[in-house]
Coordinates of all heavy atoms in Angstrom, one line a residue:
A9 N 5.4 -1.3 -15.1 CA 4.2 -2.1 -15.2 C 3.2 -1.3 -16.1 O 3.1 -0.1 -16.0 CB 3.6 -2.3 -13.8
L10 N 2.6 -2.1 -16.9 CA 1.5 -1.5 -17.8 C 0.2 -1.5 -17.2 O -0.6 -0.5 -17.3 CB 1.5 -2.3 -19.1 CG 0.4 -1.9 -20.1 CD1 0.5 -0.5 -20.6 CD2 0.4 -2.8 -21.4
N11 N -0.2 -2.5 -16.4 CA -1.5 -2.6 -15.8 C -1.5 -2.0 -14.4 O -2.2 -1.0 -14.1 CB -1.9 -4.1 -15.7 CG -2.9 -4.4 -16.7 OD1 -3.2 -3.7 -17.7 ND2 -3.5 -5.6 -16.6
E12 N -0.7 -2.6 -13.5 CA -0.7 -2.1 -12.1 C 0.5 -2.6 -11.3 O 1.2 -3.5 -11.7 CB -2.0 -2.6 -11.4 CG -2.0 -4.1 -11.0 CD -2.5 -5.0 -12.1 OE1 -3.6 -4.7 -12.7 OE2 -1.9 -6.0 -12.3
V13 N 0.8 -1.8 -10.3 CA 1.7 -2.2 -9.2 C 0.9 -2.5 -8.0 O 0.1 -1.7 -7.6 CB 2.7 -1.1 -8.9 CG1 3.6 -1.5 -7.7 CG2 3.5 -0.7 -10.1
T14 N 1.1 -3.7 -7.4 CA 0.3 -4.2 -6.3 C 1.1 -4.5 -5.1 O 2.1 -5.2 -5.2 CB -0.6 -5.4 -6.7 OG1 -1.4 -5.1 -7.8 CG2 -1.4 -5.9 -5.5
I15 N 0.7 -4.0 -4.0 CA 1.3 -4.4 -2.7 C 0.4 -5.4 -2.0 O -0.8 -5.1 -1.9 CB 1.5 -3.1 -1.8 CG1 2.3 -2.0 -2.5 CG2 2.1 -3.5 -0.4 CD1 3.8 -2.4 -2.7
A16 N 0.9 -6.5 -1.6 CA 0.1 -7.5 -1.0 C 0.7 -8.2 0.2 O 2.0 -8.3 0.3 CB -0.3 -8.6 -2.0
R17 N 0.0 -8.8 1.1 CA 0.5 -9.5 2.2 C 1.1 -10.8 1.8 O 0.9 -11.3 0.7 CB -0.7 -9.8 3.2 CG -1.7 -10.7 2.6 CD -2.9 -10.8 3.5 NE -3.9 -11.7 3.0 CZ -5.1 -12.1 3.6 NH1 -5.3 -11.5 4.8 NH2 -5.9 -12.9 3.0
K18 N 2.0 -11.3 2.6 CA 2.7 -12.6 2.3 C 2.8 -13.5 3.6 O 3.1 -13.0 4.7 CB 4.1 -12.3 1.8 CG 4.9 -13.6 1.5 CD 6.3 -13.4 1.1 CE 7.1 -14.7 0.8 NZ 8.5 -14.5 0.5
N19 N 2.5 -14.7 3.4 CA 2.6 -15.7 4.5 C 1.8 -15.4 5.7 O 2.2 -15.7 6.9 CB 4.1 -15.9 4.9 CG 4.9 -16.5 3.8 OD1 4.4 -17.2 2.9 ND2 6.2 -16.1 3.8
T20 N 0.6 -14.7 5.5 CA -0.2 -14.4 6.7 C -1.6 -14.2 6.2 O -1.9 -13.8 5.0 CB 0.3 -13.1 7.3 OG1 -0.6 -12.8 8.5 CG2 0.3 -11.9 6.4
T21 N -2.6 -14.4 7.1 CA -4.0 -14.1 6.8 C -4.3 -12.8 7.4 O -5.4 -12.3 7.2 CB -4.9 -15.2 7.4 OG1 -4.7 -15.3 8.8 CG2 -4.6 -16.5 6.7
S22 N -3.4 -12.2 8.2 CA -3.6 -10.8 8.8 C -3.5 -9.8 7.7 O -2.7 -9.9 6.8 CB -2.6 -10.6 9.9 OG -2.8 -11.6 10.9
M23 N -4.3 -8.7 7.9 CA -4.2 -7.6 7.0 C -2.8 -6.8 7.2 O -2.1 -7.0 8.2 CB -5.3 -6.6 7.2 CG -5.3 -5.9 8.5 SD -6.8 -4.9 8.9 CE -7.9 -6.2 9.4
I24 N -2.5 -6.0 6.2 CA -1.3 -5.2 6.4 C -1.7 -3.7 6.3 O -2.8 -3.4 5.9 CB -0.3 -5.5 5.2 CG1 -0.9 -5.2 3.8 CG2 0.2 -6.9 5.3 CD1 0.0 -5.4 2.7
G25 N -0.8 -2.9 6.8 CA -1.1 -1.4 6.7 C -0.2 -0.9 5.7 O 1.0 -1.2 5.6
V26 N -0.7 -0.1 4.8 CA 0.0 0.5 3.7 C -0.1 2.1 3.9 O -1.1 2.7 3.5 CB -0.5 0.1 2.3 CG1 0.5 0.7 1.2 CG2 -0.6 -1.4 2.2
R27 N 1.0 2.6 4.4 CA 1.0 4.1 4.6 C 1.3 4.7 3.3 O 2.3 4.5 2.6 CB 2.1 4.5 5.6 CG 2.1 5.9 6.1 CD 3.2 6.2 7.1 NE 3.1 7.5 7.7 CZ 3.5 8.6 7.2 NH1 4.2 8.6 6.0 NH2 3.3 9.8 7.8
T28 N 0.4 5.6 2.9 CA 0.4 6.2 1.6 C 0.6 7.7 1.6 O -0.2 8.4 2.3 CB -0.9 5.9 0.8 OG1 -1.1 4.4 0.9 CG2 -0.9 6.3 -0.6
C29 N 1.6 8.2 0.8 CA 1.8 9.6 0.7 C 1.8 10.0 -0.8 O 2.3 9.2 -1.6 CB 3.2 10.0 1.3 SG 3.3 9.8 3.1
L30 N 1.2 11.1 -1.1 CA 1.1 11.6 -2.4 C 1.9 13.0 -2.5 O 1.5 13.9 -1.8 CB -0.3 11.8 -2.9 CG -1.3 10.6 -2.7 CD1 -2.7 11.0 -3.2 CD2 -0.8 9.4 -3.5
N31 N 2.9 13.0 -3.4 CA 3.7 14.2 -3.5 C 4.2 14.7 -2.1 O 4.2 15.8 -1.8 CB 3.0 15.3 -4.2 CG 2.7 15.1 -5.7 OD1 3.5 14.3 -6.3 ND2 1.6 15.6 -6.2
N32 N 4.7 13.7 -1.4 CA 5.3 13.9 0.0 C 4.2 14.3 1.0 O 4.6 14.7 2.2 CB 6.4 14.9 -0.1 CG 7.6 14.4 -0.9 OD1 8.0 13.2 -0.8 ND2 8.1 15.3 -1.7
E33 N 3.0 14.3 0.7 CA 1.9 14.7 1.7 C 1.2 13.4 2.1 O 0.8 12.6 1.3 CB 0.9 15.7 1.1 CG -0.1 16.1 2.1 CD -1.1 17.1 1.5 OE1 -0.8 17.6 0.4 OE2 -2.1 17.4 2.2
Y34 N 1.0 13.2 3.4 CA 0.4 12.0 3.9 C -1.1 11.9 3.5 O -1.8 12.9 3.6 CB 0.5 12.0 5.4 CG -0.3 10.8 6.1 CD1 0.2 9.5 5.9 CD2 -1.4 11.1 6.9 CE1 -0.5 8.5 6.6 CE2 -2.1 10.0 7.5 CZ -1.6 8.7 7.3 OH -2.3 7.7 7.9
L35 N -1.5 10.8 3.0 CA -2.9 10.6 2.6 C -3.6 9.8 3.7 O -4.5 10.3 4.3 CB -3.0 9.9 1.2 CG -4.4 9.4 0.8 CD1 -5.3 10.6 0.6 CD2 -4.3 8.5 -0.5
T36 N -3.2 8.5 3.8 CA -3.9 7.7 4.8 C -3.0 6.4 5.0 O -2.1 6.1 4.2 CB -5.3 7.3 4.4 OG1 -6.0 6.6 5.5 CG2 -5.3 6.4 3.2
N37 N -3.4 5.6 6.0 CA -2.8 4.3 6.1 C -3.9 3.3 5.8 O -4.9 3.1 6.6 CB -2.3 4.1 7.5 CG -1.5 2.8 7.7 OD1 -0.7 2.5 6.8 ND2 -1.7 2.1 8.8

């Protein structure tokens, strides 16, 4: 992707949790 990679919810109005790690170290959810 040149602009961005986006993670988004599907078929729901509920939020999703995106567990994020940077260089194998946990950042946040």
Side-chain angles (χ1 to χ4, degrees):
L10 175 58
N11 259 10
E12 72 273 313
V13 177
T14 301
I15 303 294
R17 61 188 184 178
K18 180 185 179 183
N19 298 331
T20 180
T21 57
S22 300
M23 69 187 77
I24 59 175
V26 186
R27 189 178 191 276
T28 305
C29 294
L30 306 179
N31 290 332
N32 296 317
E33 182 179 352
Y34 175 68
L35 171 63
T36 189
N37 190 40

